[in-house]
Amino acid sequence: MSGQDYEVRTDLAVEAKEMYVEKGKQKKGQIKGVEISEKQEGNIRISFVNVDREGSEQIGKSPGSYRTIYSDAIKRQDTSLQHETAKAVCNQLIELLDKNQVKKDATGLIVGLGNRHVTPDALGPLAIEKVLVTNHLFVHQPEYVAEGYRRVATINPGVMGVTGIETSDIIKGVIEKLKPDFVIAIDALASRSIERVNATIQLSDAGIHPGSGVGNKRKELSKETLGLPVIAIGVPTVVDAVTITSDAIDYVLKHIGKEMKEVDKPSKSLTPAGMNFGTRKLSNEDLPSPEKREKIFGMIGSLDEQEKRALMQEVLTPLGHNLMVTPKEIDGYIEDMAHLLAKGINAALHENVKVEEASSYSR
Amino acid sequence: MSGQDYEVRTDLAVEAKEMYVEKGKQKKGQIKGVEISEKQEGNIRISFVNVDREGSEQIGKSPGSYRTIYSDAIKRQDTSLQHETAKAVCNQLIELLDKNQVKKDATGLIVGLGNRHVTPDALGPLAIEKVLVTNHLFVHQPEYVAEGYRRVATINPGVMGVTGIETSDIIKGVIEKLKPDFVIAIDALASRSIERVNATIQLSDAGIHPGSGVGNKRKELSKETLGLPVIAIGVPTVVDAVTITSDAIDYVLKHIGKEMKEVDKPSKSLTPAGMNFGTRKLSNEDLPSPEKREKIFGMIGSLDEQEKRALMQEVLTPLGHNLMVTPKEIDGYIEDMAHLLAKGINAALHENVKVEEASSYSR
Amino acid sequence: MSGQDYEVRTDLAVEAKEMYVEKGKQKKGQIKGVEISEKQEGNIRISFVNVDREGSEQIGKSPGSYRTIYSDAIKRQDTSLQHETAKAVCNQLIELLDKNQVKKDATGLIVGLGNRHVTPDALGPLAIEKVLVTNHLFVHQPEYVAEGYRRVATINPGVMGVTGIETSDIIKGVIEKLKPDFVIAIDALASRSIERVNATIQLSDAGIHPGSGVGNKRKELSKETLGLPVIAIGVPTVVDAVTITSDAIDYVLKHIGKEMKEVDKPSKSLTPAGMNFGTRKLSNEDLPSPEKREKIFGMIGSLDEQEKRALMQEVLTPLGHNLMVTPKEIDGYIEDMAHLLAKGINAALHENVKVEEASSYSR
Amino acid sequence: MSGQDYEVRTDLAVEAKEMYVEKGKQKKGQIKGVEISEKQEGNIRISFVNVDREGSEQIGKSPGSYRTIYSDAIKRQDTSLQHETAKAVCNQLIELLDKNQVKKDATGLIVGLGNRHVTPDALGPLAIEKVLVTNHLFVHQPEYVAEGYRRVATINPGVMGVTGIETSDIIKGVIEKLKPDFVIAIDALASRSIERVNATIQLSDAGIHPGSGVGNKRKELSKETLGLPVIAIGVPTVVDAVTITSDAIDYVLKHIGKEMKEVDKPSKSLTPAGMNFGTRKLSNEDLPSPEKREKIFGMIGSLDEQEKRALMQEVLTPLGHNLMVTPKEIDGYIEDMAHLLAKGINAALHENVKVEEASSYSR
């Protein structure tokens, strides 16, 4: 990827955009071919990144519409906020389906990507267990299908290390038999920010690369390759040691930077930018000047985000210390997130299902 | 099925043959187009039923070679007998592959049929988790593949009630992408004898009907429909209430019959026929004459096996009392049987894998 | 137990009473020291059996108040009826606590008996996972405890085959440390009627014998031995082959008996007695006269319930064919029943918790 | 803990000793009251730390003998090295039992600490499921107990957040009933080095503090408080973000330091000290001089280990970013480690059980 050996891969469009900006290739503000906006729905912030062909080349993400829902409802175990988040998933999914001309009676195939037996990778398989499946009823018992439902089927294709088969091949094989009108794929992602882990949900119509979530790239599944809309729903569940370290160094820099500023200008009102929830105390504005950063963190402090990560990756990876890690509480997080996603999906796909009654189709 | 409303369905060829004989359509002995033999391998009895076109019409099973391994190694928790049983599975599988001209380097797809979350139906999914998968290594890391291994992939297609998709469609879709040379399908079956539950393993090359194991018939997967050998490995894990009752009535009849005989002819040596292992105390020879049976069990006693089952099914089914049941200890049985099958399969498929080292590829 | 070798053990007081009546020791109607009544709450029938010292000797159950809730909400997967059933559990539990002078602020220990890894025996361990636990908050974070809650703790003591320790010893050891004011013990039971399996919930204040549910008797835990009220909540999840067979023979007899009657008196209105839900088609009144029963089922038909079961047990047990079995769908049944019980318990124990919001404290 | 606000807690004695040395309170070499040695057994390094009263005050660990087995057998999925590691566990456990005068026929209670439903905390509960339990056989079926076995029982006391009861109270209650002669407690620990996670096993006779492993301190269980030997077996399974960052900064410093040295003295033979396995490329000797460290990492680089961690903890903890994390592959690691420990324990406790046959008593 453009000659940078240690570029940190990200599955989130908002992060790809940030990285692009950090690389200094672009001043803060607009990137050509990348349209960015944001809105607030109740307690939930949603960011929108639209990438066209040109923008795709700039930030290295496939063209399409990316929507990122920020919510720490799962981490806080806040059931009412979880409910609100499920509604946001429902709304964004409906918008993406509409944008892709998916009709109300179109048949959907929901794909749960990932390995059921690796907890941080089990989000997809667990979520589809809670998705309301109706396709077989339409075929075999149409009399049991009430008004307002559409045909929905699910598949858990497993992972190549377990099946021995390319995941994309399994999905394509099933698509050729089922002939759905659209595909939704749920997957666990890697993030390059620890605070986004289990706290952001990205929906996009830009297609998926099964296996890229926690490993290597495989074959793409997208509107282009399949001829039908592919909506991806992804939640970051892991980060690498480089990310944790880089984040920590950043926080230390901002912390000291803020202390420095407060001496000069004590009554400052915080206008947070980098962080979106929680006890927002440190912002990018707190980052001290490059000179001060060098004083605090030496030559490391003077490196920009990309250079700093590249250096650490260069050191840690050959030592086997650039581990992918996940929070200790991952079992509960994954279980709750699977419920949340299934609630949003069920309510989005069937007119007669509301978010409040949409989960627990567990068998 | 030929006008008989209450015919008890069986997945085991040995049972289909017995039913045919019981129906009185045929004297004990030969059925045209059905070849029967038996052999003993150490502590394990194996029966062979070969069915041709003509025989198929007689006993209602697809043409092919059926091999039934009898072993109560699982029920007894006898690990050394389990090992012996795994060897028998290995040998019979090798014979069936040879009979179907499957070459040593042919690629195999192992299908784990059934519902992972319904314990007595989870045998297939659990067994394939322990099968040694190599296909992706041949493709992506051939340098890691030692001599004596072949390409093996696995798939758990789920069940239609969960995926909404015909199981046979999922399998066919995967076959079209992977293009294996042969298929092995593992499934949990229903038995019409309580003592065969978790104590018999049937291997056959007669094809499968995914979904028929614990529900309705779906589309056939066989050499005829797919153009490649399909080996089915089935283990009965459930029986219905009619079977339990019919077995119990039979045992009572034999028990009383034996008591009656022993009064007449006290020093009789038992030559058991009906039962194949365990504390063999009652045989079909103990069954009293129809007159005596009527005395003991009234008009019910005078019915033959088929009539008795048909009557009970007629009574119990509309009441919702012809439950499918499974032994209380099913969790442990299924776990152990999955290991046993995987050991037999791994050793059969790879020249360099021995039964004693063949399991525990659990991830 | 009074010299009868093959007496069928039952954990349900209603069954013990029936058995007593069947044994002919007592005419239908009153048993001295056993008070019986019944009521209907919406769609749910509840029967009450009060046993005093004298009655205890008659029917072989410890003295106390037994309440049996009949509901096939789980089997039918009827969520609204499950909710109603949880309410009935809540109400009966409140009544039993009141009857035993348990105060609103008394501390409760909820014991989940059984083996988590044996599905039909996992009801207790699964249910307590969903019980709202507050005791540690009262101790360490009283500021987080809202009005209307009491102190509740839970314990899963395991089973002796796994721990090597008498289950009653573990419970007693914990009681001595925690010093609760009352104990609630949840357990899976055996039934002698297949239709009661997963369809009846017995609550009683007569104490428990851990380990007796699916095995041998161990040491009693009761008000008498512990000096504090012990409420047992039991759900039958298994039956033995003798029960299934005996039930089936009975149904056949009633079916034929009904047909006989209908010839004589065709427009008869059914007044069901034996069965309480489902498609109620056969009743005890349909049972033909002993003479007719003998004609239909020979000498077996002429036996009374106890004699019939004793004969079958005599035949099947030595052959190893008196298996304990459970319905094929047991995984789902146990999961749903655990939720139902936890909802009822949580709402009964805490004034501020309603049945509709009482479950899903799953971590 | 003695006025130091940001002291990093560790469960490992070797780490406590390192921290003490790092704090500069002590020159490298001897600490009064702390005896240190090391040995190599085949491919496995074992370190010994003996702490007496005086040493205890110095390094903040209870007095006793601590043995740490270093092995990356689990991470490498190397089954033969896992076997060797199980042997080392067996040997060290035997030595500790002997040292504490535990007789060959003494009764042991094996406690599996932790939360079964939180994967990185499930090591104890999973390990005891594989421990050979014999106590009930000695009591109820002594005829089944062969020569060379001792009485062993197990208990999973759960965690206070789930039971509402102090874990130490549950254990004490059971001890009072069972009256064992010694206790072995298995627990998941926190480490302050990412490379020790799932790669070190600490055995000690210094007692345990249930709940301290992944949370706050509770009541001590030790020879002093219980009057019987308490052997703790602990494996670090989690680290915090501060540790990951601190390790990463260290590696970067060593990496750059090594590059600097190699310019001066190119043909240097590495004498590793800090790391004990894997691709050992960086050692403490590579750490550049404080001046150079400051140049590279600014004022952060000039801080010693303790100060650096304290600063980061001060910054990250209030932001909620000092997460406890665990490797993505934790499910498999925990499963394999539980087997390894159970094999070592079973072989140590029973004379007639060898390491190679000692596991898989899973039910």
Side-chain angles (χ1 to χ4, degrees):
Chain A
M1 216 187 257
S2 68
Q4 279 165 280
D5 289 310
Y6 295 108
E7 178 137 10
V8 179
R9 192 181 52 72
T10 175
D11 297 310
L12 295 176
V14 288
E15 295 188 344
K17 189 263 297 173
E18 283 168 13
M19 282 161 66
Y20 181 84
V21 171
E22 284 160 4
K23 274 185 289 189
K25 290 185 184 160
Q26 183 66 32
K27 291 203 205 314
K28 250 175 205 179
Q30 284 196 296
I31 305 167
K32 219 165 177 192
V34 179
E35 210 182 281
I36 295 159
S37 63
E38 216 177 284
K39 79 171 179 187
Q40 193 77 19
E41 264 189 34
N43 294 300
I44 290 163
R45 191 165 64 91
I46 306 173
S47 81
F48 300 82
V49 180
N50 287 312
V51 180
D52 68 11
R53 285 273 148 226
E54 195 178 2
S56 175
E57 276 166 41
Q58 301 289 322
I59 68 165
K61 298 297 294 177
S62 301
S65 171
Y66 296 83
R67 286 122 198 271
T68 307
I69 298 167
Y70 299 90
S71 162
D72 54 354
I74 300 292
K75 286 198 219 167
R76 284 204 220 153
Q77 301 193 251
D78 177 336
T79 50
S80 121
L81 191 55
Q82 284 172 24
H83 185 71
E84 229 184 306
T85 311
K87 269 192 180 151
V89 169
C90 171
N91 293 340
Q92 293 310 312
L93 183 51
I94 288 176
E95 280 188 32
L96 275 177
L97 292 171
D98 284 350
K99 184 171 160 296
N100 286 273
Q101 278 96 41
V102 172
K103 291 192 196 139
K104 294 247 174 290
D105 62 348
T107 298
L109 174 65
I110 322 301
V111 181
L113 295 167
N115 186 341
R116 225 206 118 80
H117 299 303
V118 171
T119 305
D121 198 27
L123 180 63
L126 285 175
I128 60 166
E129 281 179 20
K130 295 158 195 24
V131 163
L132 178 55
V133 172
T134 55
N135 185 61
H136 57 310
L137 299 176
F138 276 86
V139 178
H140 297 284
Q141 300 174 294
E143 65 279 15
Y144 283 115
V145 183
E147 197 68 20
Y149 288 84
R150 72 164 84 219
R151 292 168 72 142
V152 172
T154 62
I155 186 83
N156 168 10
V159 293
M160 200 177 71
V162 169
T163 61
I165 311 171
E166 291 282 356
T167 303
S168 56
D169 278 351
I170 296 176
I171 299 169
K172 281 180 197 163
V174 172
I175 286 174
E176 283 170 23
K177 294 294 165 193
L178 180 70
K179 302 194 196 313
D181 300 308
F182 67 98
V183 169
I184 296 175
I186 307 166
D187 202 4
L189 308 177
S191 173
R192 39 163 248 155
S193 157
I194 200 166
E195 73 185 0
R196 293 207 182 96
V197 168
N198 301 310
T200 47
I201 301 163
Q202 173 178 278
L203 298 96
S204 95
D205 57 2
I208 52 162
H209 303 79
S212 75
V214 199
N216 292 322
K217 290 221 167 192
R218 303 245 190 284
K219 298 164 197 168
E220 185 177 293
L221 297 180
S222 67
K223 195 164 198 171
E224 211 171 331
T225 62
L226 294 174
L228 74 176
V230 176
I231 313 291
I233 302 181
V235 175
T237 63
V238 293
V239 281
D240 57 13
V242 163
T243 289
I244 289 177
T245 306
S246 178
D247 278 10
I249 290 176
D250 246 49
Y251 285 123
V252 171
L253 283 172
K254 287 177 188 170
H255 176 79
I256 298 175
K258 195 181 158 197
E259 284 183 344
M260 287 173 171
K261 276 198 204 165
E262 275 162 3
V263 173
D264 306 338
K265 187 175 45 149
S267 66
K268 154 187 168 297
S269 78
L270 276 175
T271 43
M275 296 170 63
N276 51 292
F277 47 68
T279 42
R280 227 178 307 162
K281 286 190 195 127
L282 298 176
S283 79
N284 287 332
E285 297 188 4
D286 294 320
L287 210 61
S289 66
E291 297 72 38
K292 281 180 182 155
R293 266 147 57 190
E294 189 166 349
K295 195 171 150 201
I296 306 164
F297 258 110
M299 55 177 253
I300 305 295
S302 68
L303 301 177
D304 74 19
E305 182 69 16
Q306 287 304 308
E307 292 163 338
K308 196 172 63 192
R309 284 174 178 262
L311 169 64
M312 283 189 293
Q313 203 153 355
E314 194 186 323
V315 174
L316 297 183
T317 306
L319 290 168
H321 285 295
N322 190 19
L323 290 186
M324 279 290 201
V325 297
T326 192
K328 175 170 78 68
E329 303 83 356
I330 188 68
D331 302 81
Y333 288 167
I334 290 283
E335 185 66 35
D336 291 348
M337 186 61 88
H339 263 99
L340 191 161
L341 294 184
K343 282 168 85 172
I345 292 169
N346 288 333
L349 295 188
H350 305 290
E351 282 197 324
N352 273 4
V353 176
K354 284 175 197 143
V355 170
E356 36 281 9
E357 37 162 345
S359 186
S360 83
Y361 302 94
S362 48
R363 268 167 299 134
Chain B
M1 215 188 261
S2 67
Q4 280 164 277
D5 288 311
Y6 297 107
E7 178 135 13
V8 179
R9 191 182 52 73
T10 176
D11 298 308
L12 295 176
V14 288
E15 295 188 344
K17 188 264 295 174
E18 283 169 12
M19 282 162 64
Y20 182 85
V21 171
E22 282 160 5
K23 275 187 289 189
K25 290 187 184 157
Q26 184 65 32
K27 290 203 206 311
K28 250 175 205 179
Q30 284 197 296
I31 305 168
K32 219 163 174 194
V34 179
E35 212 181 280
I36 295 158
S37 64
E38 215 176 285
K39 79 169 178 188
Q40 193 79 20
E41 263 189 36
N43 294 300
I44 290 164
R45 192 167 62 91
I46 306 173
S47 81
F48 301 81
V49 180
N50 288 311
V51 179
D52 68 12
R53 287 271 150 228
E54 195 177 3
S56 175
E57 276 166 41
Q58 302 288 322
I59 68 166
K61 298 297 294 178
S62 301
S65 172
Y66 296 83
R67 285 122 199 271
T68 307
I69 298 167
Y70 299 90
S71 162
D72 55 354
I74 300 291
K75 285 198 219 167
R76 284 204 219 153
Q77 302 192 249
D78 178 337
T79 49
S80 120
L81 191 54
Q82 284 172 25
H83 185 72
E84 231 184 303
T85 311
K87 270 192 180 154
V89 169
C90 171
N91 293 339
Q92 293 309 312
L93 183 51
I94 288 175
E95 279 188 31
L96 275 177
L97 292 172
D98 285 350
K99 186 173 159 296
N100 285 273
Q101 277 96 44
V102 173
K103 291 190 196 140
K104 295 245 174 291
D105 62 350
T107 298
L109 174 66
I110 322 299
V111 180
L113 295 167
N115 187 341
R116 224 207 120 80
H117 298 303
V118 172
T119 305
D121 199 28
L123 180 63
L126 285 176
I128 60 165
E129 281 179 21
K130 295 159 195 24
V131 162
L132 178 55
V133 172
T134 55
N135 186 62
H136 56 312
L137 298 177
F138 275 87
V139 178
H140 296 283
Q141 301 174 292
E143 66 277 18
Y144 284 114
V145 183
E147 197 68 22
Y149 287 85
R150 72 164 83 219
R151 291 167 73 141
V152 172
T154 63
I155 185 86
N156 169 11
V159 294
M160 200 177 71
V162 169
T163 61
I165 311 171
E166 292 282 356
T167 303
S168 56
D169 278 351
I170 296 176
I171 299 169
K172 280 179 197 164
V174 173
I175 286 174
E176 283 170 24
K177 294 293 165 193
L178 181 70
K179 302 196 196 312
D181 300 308
F182 66 99
V183 170
I184 296 175
I186 308 167
D187 202 4
L189 309 176
S191 172
R192 38 163 249 156
S193 158
I194 200 167
E195 73 186 1
R196 291 204 184 99
V197 168
N198 301 311
T200 48
I201 301 163
Q202 175 180 277
L203 297 97
S204 96
D205 58 2
I208 53 162
H209 303 78
S212 74
V214 198
N216 292 322
K217 289 216 168 195
R218 304 248 187 282
K219 297 166 196 166
E220 185 177 293
L221 297 179
S222 66
K223 194 163 197 170
E224 211 172 330
T225 63
L226 294 175
L228 73 177
V230 177
I231 313 290
I233 303 181
V235 175
T237 63
V238 292
V239 281
D240 58 13
V242 163
T243 290
I244 290 177
T245 306
S246 178
D247 277 10
I249 290 175
D250 245 51
Y251 284 122
V252 171
L253 284 171
K254 287 176 188 170
H255 175 80
I256 299 175
K258 194 181 158 196
E259 283 183 345
M260 287 172 169
K261 276 198 203 162
E262 274 164 4
V263 174
D264 306 338
K265 189 176 43 148
S267 66
K268 155 185 168 298
S269 79
L270 276 174
T271 44
M275 297 169 62
N276 51 289
F277 48 66
T279 41
R280 228 177 307 161
K281 286 193 193 123
L282 299 175
S283 81
N284 287 332
E285 296 188 5
D286 294 320
L287 210 61
S289 66
E291 298 72 37
K292 280 181 184 155
R293 267 149 54 190
E294 188 166 348
K295 197 171 148 201
I296 306 165
F297 259 108
M299 54 175 254
I300 304 298
S302 69
L303 300 177
D304 74 19
E305 181 69 16
Q306 287 303 309
E307 293 163 338
K308 196 173 63 194
R309 283 174 178 261
L311 169 64
M312 284 189 293
Q313 203 153 356
E314 195 186 321
V315 173
L316 297 182
T317 305
L319 290 168
H321 285 294
N322 191 18
L323 289 186
M324 280 289 199
V325 297
T326 193
K328 176 168 76 69
E329 301 85 355
I330 188 68
D331 302 80
Y333 289 168
I334 290 284
E335 185 67 33
D336 290 348
M337 185 62 87
H339 264 99
L340 191 161
L341 293 184
K343 281 166 86 171
I345 291 169
N346 288 334
L349 295 188
H350 305 289
E351 282 196 325
N352 272 5
V353 176
K354 284 175 197 146
V355 170
E356 36 281 9
E357 38 162 346
S359 187
S360 82
Y361 300 95
S362 47
R363 267 169 299 134
Chain C
M1 214 189 258
S2 69
Q4 280 165 277
D5 290 312
Y6 297 106
E7 179 135 13
V8 180
R9 191 182 52 73
T10 176
D11 298 308
L12 295 176
V14 287
E15 295 188 345
K17 188 263 297 174
E18 283 167 14
M19 283 162 65
Y20 182 84
V21 172
E22 282 158 6
K23 274 187 289 190
K25 287 185 183 159
Q26 183 66 33
K27 291 204 205 315
K28 249 176 206 178
Q30 285 198 295
I31 306 168
K32 223 169 172 189
V34 179
E35 212 183 279
I36 296 159
S37 63
E38 214 176 284
K39 80 169 177 188
Q40 193 78 20
E41 263 189 37
N43 294 300
I44 290 163
R45 193 166 63 91
I46 306 174
S47 81
F48 301 82
V49 180
N50 287 310
V51 180
D52 68 11
R53 286 274 147 227
E54 194 177 4
S56 174
E57 277 167 40
Q58 300 290 322
I59 68 165
K61 298 296 296 176
S62 301
S65 171
Y66 296 83
R67 287 122 198 269
T68 307
I69 297 168
Y70 299 91
S71 161
D72 54 354
I74 299 291
K75 285 198 219 167
R76 283 205 220 154
Q77 300 192 250
D78 178 336
T79 50
S80 120
L81 191 55
Q82 284 172 22
H83 184 72
E84 232 184 303
T85 311
K87 269 192 180 153
V89 169
C90 172
N91 293 339
Q92 293 310 311
L93 183 52
I94 288 174
E95 280 189 33
L96 276 176
L97 292 171
D98 285 350
K99 186 173 160 293
N100 286 274
Q101 279 97 43
V102 173
K103 289 189 198 143
K104 294 249 175 287
D105 63 349
T107 298
L109 174 64
I110 322 299
V111 181
L113 295 167
N115 187 341
R116 225 204 118 81
H117 298 304
V118 172
T119 305
D121 199 27
L123 181 63
L126 285 176
I128 60 166
E129 281 179 22
K130 295 158 194 25
V131 162
L132 178 55
V133 171
T134 55
N135 185 62
H136 57 310
L137 298 177
F138 276 87
V139 178
H140 296 283
Q141 301 174 293
E143 66 278 17
Y144 284 114
V145 183
E147 197 68 21
Y149 288 84
R150 72 165 82 220
R151 291 168 71 140
V152 172
T154 62
I155 185 85
N156 168 12
V159 293
M160 200 178 71
V162 169
T163 62
I165 311 170
E166 291 282 357
T167 303
S168 57
D169 278 352
I170 296 176
I171 299 169
K172 280 180 197 163
V174 172
I175 286 173
E176 283 170 22
K177 294 293 165 192
L178 181 70
K179 301 195 197 313
D181 301 307
F182 66 100
V183 170
I184 296 175
I186 307 166
D187 202 4
L189 309 176
S191 173
R192 36 162 251 156
S193 158
I194 198 166
E195 73 185 1
R196 292 205 184 98
V197 168
N198 301 311
T200 48
I201 301 162
Q202 174 178 277
L203 297 96
S204 96
D205 58 3
I208 52 162
H209 303 78
S212 75
V214 197
N216 292 324
K217 290 218 168 196
R218 304 251 189 279
K219 296 164 195 167
E220 185 177 292
L221 298 179
S222 66
K223 194 163 198 170
E224 212 171 329
T225 63
L226 295 175
L228 74 175
V230 177
I231 313 290
I233 302 181
V235 175
T237 63
V238 292
V239 281
D240 58 12
V242 162
T243 289
I244 289 177
T245 307
S246 179
D247 277 11
I249 289 174
D250 246 49
Y251 285 123
V252 171
L253 284 171
K254 286 176 189 171
H255 175 79
I256 298 174
K258 194 183 158 195
E259 282 183 346
M260 287 172 171
K261 275 197 203 165
E262 275 163 5
V263 172
D264 306 340
K265 189 176 42 147
S267 67
K268 156 185 168 297
S269 79
L270 277 174
T271 45
M275 297 169 61
N276 51 291
F277 47 69
T279 41
R280 227 177 308 161
K281 287 195 195 119
L282 299 175
S283 81
N284 287 332
E285 295 188 6
D286 294 319
L287 211 61
S289 66
E291 298 73 35
K292 281 183 184 154
R293 266 150 53 189
E294 188 167 348
K295 197 171 146 202
I296 304 165
F297 258 109
M299 55 176 253
I300 304 296
S302 70
L303 300 176
D304 75 18
E305 182 67 17
Q306 287 303 309
E307 293 163 339
K308 196 172 64 194
R309 281 172 179 266
L311 169 63
M312 284 189 293
Q313 203 152 356
E314 194 187 324
V315 174
L316 296 183
T317 304
L319 290 168
H321 287 294
N322 191 19
L323 290 186
M324 280 291 201
V325 296
T326 193
K328 175 170 76 70
E329 302 83 357
I330 189 66
D331 302 80
Y333 289 168
I334 290 284
E335 185 66 33
D336 290 347
M337 186 61 90
H339 263 101
L340 191 162
L341 293 183
K343 281 168 84 173
I345 291 169
N346 288 334
L349 295 187
H350 306 290
E351 282 196 325
N352 272 4
V353 176
K354 285 175 197 143
V355 170
E356 36 282 9
E357 37 162 346
S359 185
S360 84
Y361 301 94
S362 48
R363 264 167 301 139
Chain D
M1 214 189 260
S2 68
Q4 280 165 279
D5 289 311
Y6 297 107
E7 179 135 13
V8 179
R9 190 183 53 72
T10 176
D11 297 309
L12 295 176
V14 286
E15 295 187 345
K17 188 262 297 173
E18 284 168 13
M19 283 161 65
Y20 182 84
V21 172
E22 283 160 6
K23 275 186 289 190
K25 290 185 184 161
Q26 184 67 33
K27 290 202 205 311
K28 248 173 209 181
Q30 284 197 296
I31 304 168
K32 221 166 175 191
V34 179
E35 212 182 280
I36 295 158
S37 63
E38 214 177 284
K39 80 170 177 187
Q40 193 78 19
E41 261 189 37
N43 294 300
I44 290 163
R45 191 166 65 92
I46 306 174
S47 80
F48 301 81
V49 180
N50 288 311
V51 180
D52 68 12
R53 286 273 148 227
E54 193 177 3
S56 175
E57 276 166 41
Q58 300 289 323
I59 68 165
K61 299 296 296 175
S62 302
S65 171
Y66 296 84
R67 286 123 198 270
T68 307
I69 297 167
Y70 299 91
S71 161
D72 55 354
I74 299 291
K75 285 198 219 166
R76 284 205 220 155
Q77 301 193 250
D78 177 336
T79 49
S80 121
L81 190 55
Q82 284 172 22
H83 185 73
E84 230 183 306
T85 311
K87 269 192 181 154
V89 170
C90 171
N91 293 340
Q92 293 309 313
L93 183 51
I94 288 175
E95 280 188 32
L96 276 177
L97 292 170
D98 285 351
K99 184 172 160 294
N100 285 273
Q101 278 96 44
V102 173
K103 290 190 198 143
K104 294 247 173 291
D105 62 349
T107 297
L109 174 64
I110 322 299
V111 181
L113 295 167
N115 186 343
R116 225 205 118 80
H117 298 303
V118 171
T119 305
D121 199 28
L123 180 64
L126 284 176
I128 60 166
E129 281 178 22
K130 295 160 194 22
V131 162
L132 179 55
V133 172
T134 55
N135 186 61
H136 57 310
L137 298 176
F138 276 87
V139 178
H140 297 283
Q141 300 174 294
E143 66 276 17
Y144 284 114
V145 183
E147 197 68 21
Y149 288 84
R150 72 164 83 220
R151 292 168 73 141
V152 172
T154 63
I155 185 83
N156 168 11
V159 294
M160 200 178 71
V162 169
T163 62
I165 311 170
E166 290 283 355
T167 302
S168 57
D169 278 351
I170 296 176
I171 299 169
K172 280 178 197 162
V174 172
I175 286 173
E176 282 169 25
K177 293 295 165 191
L178 180 69
K179 301 194 196 313
D181 301 307
F182 66 98
V183 170
I184 296 175
I186 307 166
D187 202 4
L189 309 176
S191 173
R192 37 163 248 154
S193 157
I194 200 166
E195 73 186 1
R196 291 204 184 98
V197 167
N198 300 310
T200 47
I201 302 163
Q202 175 179 276
L203 298 96
S204 95
D205 58 2
I208 53 163
H209 303 79
S212 74
V214 199
N216 292 322
K217 289 217 168 195
R218 306 245 189 284
K219 297 165 197 167
E220 184 177 292
L221 298 180
S222 66
K223 194 163 199 171
E224 211 171 331
T225 63
L226 295 174
L228 72 177
V230 177
I231 313 290
I233 303 181
V235 175
T237 64
V238 292
V239 282
D240 57 13
V242 163
T243 290
I244 289 178
T245 306
S246 179
D247 278 11
I249 289 175
D250 247 50
Y251 285 124
V252 171
L253 283 172
K254 287 176 188 170
H255 175 80
I256 298 175
K258 194 181 158 197
E259 283 183 345
M260 288 173 172
K261 276 197 203 165
E262 275 163 3
V263 172
D264 306 339
K265 187 177 44 149
S267 66
K268 156 187 167 294
S269 78
L270 277 174
T271 44
M275 297 168 64
N276 51 290
F277 47 69
T279 40
R280 226 178 308 163
K281 288 193 194 121
L282 299 175
S283 81
N284 287 332
E285 296 187 5
D286 294 319
L287 212 60
S289 65
E291 297 71 38
K292 281 182 183 155
R293 266 150 55 189
E294 190 167 346
K295 195 171 149 202
I296 305 165
F297 258 108
M299 55 176 254
I300 305 297
S302 70
L303 301 177
D304 76 18
E305 181 69 16
Q306 288 303 309
E307 292 164 338
K308 196 172 62 192
R309 283 172 178 263
L311 169 64
M312 284 190 293
Q313 203 152 357
E314 195 186 323
V315 174
L316 296 183
T317 305
L319 290 169
H321 285 294
N322 191 18
L323 291 185
M324 280 289 200
V325 297
T326 192
K328 177 169 75 71
E329 302 83 356
I330 188 68
D331 302 80
Y333 289 166
I334 290 284
E335 185 66 35
D336 290 347
M337 186 61 88
H339 264 99
L340 190 161
L341 293 183
K343 282 167 85 172
I345 291 169
N346 288 335
L349 295 187
H350 305 290
E351 282 196 323
N352 273 2
V353 176
K354 283 174 198 146
V355 171
E356 37 279 10
E357 38 163 344
S359 185
S360 84
Y361 301 95
S362 47
R363 266 169 297 135

